[in-house]
Amino acid sequence: MADISLRNIVKDYGGVRAIHGVDLSVNDGEFVAFVGPSGCGKSTMLRMIAGLEEISGGTLRIGGRVVNEVEPRGRDVAMVFQDYALYPHMSIRENIGFGLKMRGWKAIDIAPKVENAARILQIGDYLDRKPGQLSGGQRQRVAMGRAIVREPSVFLFDEPLSNLDAKLRVEMRTQIKRLHAMLGTTTVYVTHDQTEAMTLADRVVVLQGGHIVQEGPPMELYNQPNCRFVGEFIGSPKMNVLSGVIDRIGDTPCLRVGDEAVEIGEIPAQDGARIDIGIRPEHLIWAEAGTGKIQPVVEVFEPLGSDTMAICRFADHEMSARLAPDIPLRRDQPIHLSYDPANLHYFDGESGKRLSVAQQHATRATHAVS
């Protein structure tokens, strides 16, 4: 096992900078997930750690050793790819042991390693089959087995579940989490699916435009996003965000959103300051007529069994609410929703950064509407 250290890492493609001076430490035995939209640089970061992309600037260490100029095979890392990268003409047994064979291992020494990996991944019955005879989930387990037999210091996963259907993705998430708990190998995992990142990782790193926007434990990012981008990216369905200006109805502070007023509790920002408020669909509560804080109109509803997602329109904003499955809904129905103001998130209307209480005091006339 080994820790990973990235210091001021830069990646340029010609005159275009893809990674902008990233600093990151991955602890020995930690499971870290890189997430972000397409083109944010997450796969580029992973490929630089693997040695498949040259580093334009900065220092990369694995296990305390600078590896900027070290070839991939000398970094003691194993990578699992999105497309499995199996040899179709070889048996599963041969695929799993191929890397060891290329390193000069004898067949008698390779065999127990392959058997052990197959036992861990529950593919022992398939060792004499060819990849074309296996399902997508089974092939992905073979790719993981090929990584396991090497006993590397670091596992790297590049969107390994993106080719699988929804049911298999859930099963393989469980398998990967179980594998990490068993082996304790330092793991870096790239995915576009924030649910995968939240359920698998000890720490999630959110990237945007080649920069790290926020990193931390999954629930920290969920409960305390440092900006609107992270708030909307982390969580499924995504956070609802309403944009408007601070106003008051009597002594009650509100956010004026178009012609609607949304109660926001005691927020020490000057009237007229422009802010965004966020609230997650699971924090919106069904209320009886006349008792709710907002009254959106249902556009679409999706029964999911355990709950129902109501996609609504409120003051020219789309918003979602996760409601009990027995609530009767129909299209174009006005519904009444309430919420605890403690569950609201506040973001600067211009920069998108999270507003703490101290920052909210500073939201002054510079952000006010004339």
Side-chain angles (χ1 to χ4, degrees), residues 76-108:
D76 196 21
V77 303
M79 191 160 177
V80 179
F81 295 91
Q82 176 181 350
D83 59 0
Y84 320 135
L86 303 179
Y87 296 103
H89 63 286
M90 292 184 183
S91 68
I92 301 309
R93 188 186 306 276
E94 291 168 330
N95 265 283
I96 294 175
F98 184 73
L100 297 180
K101 181 179 179 181
M102 294 301 293
R103 284 169 172 75
W105 284 52
K106 296 179 180 179
I108 194 171

Side-chain angles (χ1 to χ4, degrees), residues 172-182 198-200:
M172 287 303 299
R173 281 207 312 260
T174 303
Q175 187 73 41
I176 290 171
K177 190 152 191 169
R178 192 177 287 136
L179 180 66
H180 183 257
M182 186 184 302
M198 293 278 288
T199 54
L200 286 171

Side-chain angles (χ1 to χ4, degrees), residues 51-230:
L52 302 177
E53 290 278 359
E54 290 186 2
I55 298 171
S56 303
T59 304
L60 171 65
R61 289 183 170 87
I62 298 177
R65 179 173 65 122
V66 177
V67 296
N68 289 49
E69 305 300 328
V70 176
E71 292 294 320
R73 65 182 302 166
R75 297 190 181 198
D76 196 21
V77 303
M79 191 160 177
V80 179
F81 295 91
Q82 176 181 350
D83 59 0
Y84 320 135
L86 303 179
Y87 296 103
H89 63 286
M90 292 184 183
S91 68
I92 301 309
R93 188 186 306 276
E94 291 168 330
N95 265 283
I96 294 175
F98 184 73
L100 297 180
K101 181 179 179 181
M102 294 301 293
R103 284 169 172 75
W105 284 52
K106 296 179 180 179
I108 194 171
D109 298 319
I110 294 174
K113 294 277 188 181
V114 171
E115 294 285 346
N116 184 56
R119 178 186 55 78
I120 291 172
L121 295 166
Q122 301 173 4
I123 53 174
D125 293 340
Y126 311 128
L127 287 176
D128 295 319
R129 298 187 188 180
K130 299 290 178 64
Q133 297 173 290
L134 303 186
S135 69
Q138 290 165 344
R139 289 197 295 271
Q140 191 56 274
R141 291 186 189 192
V142 175
M144 290 165 57
R146 188 171 51 194
I148 288 172
V149 294
R150 291 177 50 193
E151 298 180 355
S153 297
V154 176
F155 282 135
L156 304 176
F157 290 86
D158 190 8
E159 303 203 41
L161 309 185
S162 60
N163 288 336
L164 305 181
D165 62 34
K167 182 176 181 293
L168 275 176
R169 281 202 301 273
V170 173
E171 291 177 2
M172 287 303 299
R173 281 207 312 260
T174 303
Q175 187 73 41
I176 290 171
K177 190 152 191 169
R178 192 177 287 136
L179 180 66
H180 183 257
M182 186 184 302
L183 301 178
T185 305
T186 307
T187 301
V188 181
Y189 188 101
V190 163
T191 177
H192 63 277
D193 184 338
Q194 52 86 27
T195 301
E196 275 181 34
M198 293 278 288
T199 54
L200 286 171
D202 302 315
R203 185 156 47 108
V204 176
V205 178
V206 183
L207 292 108
Q208 183 185 32
H211 297 271
I212 292 178
V213 183
Q214 187 175 359
E215 60 171 290
M219 292 310 296
E220 180 181 303
L221 271 60
Y222 176 86
N223 290 318
Q224 296 181 315
N226 67 4
C227 63
R228 174 174 170 167
F229 172 78
V230 174

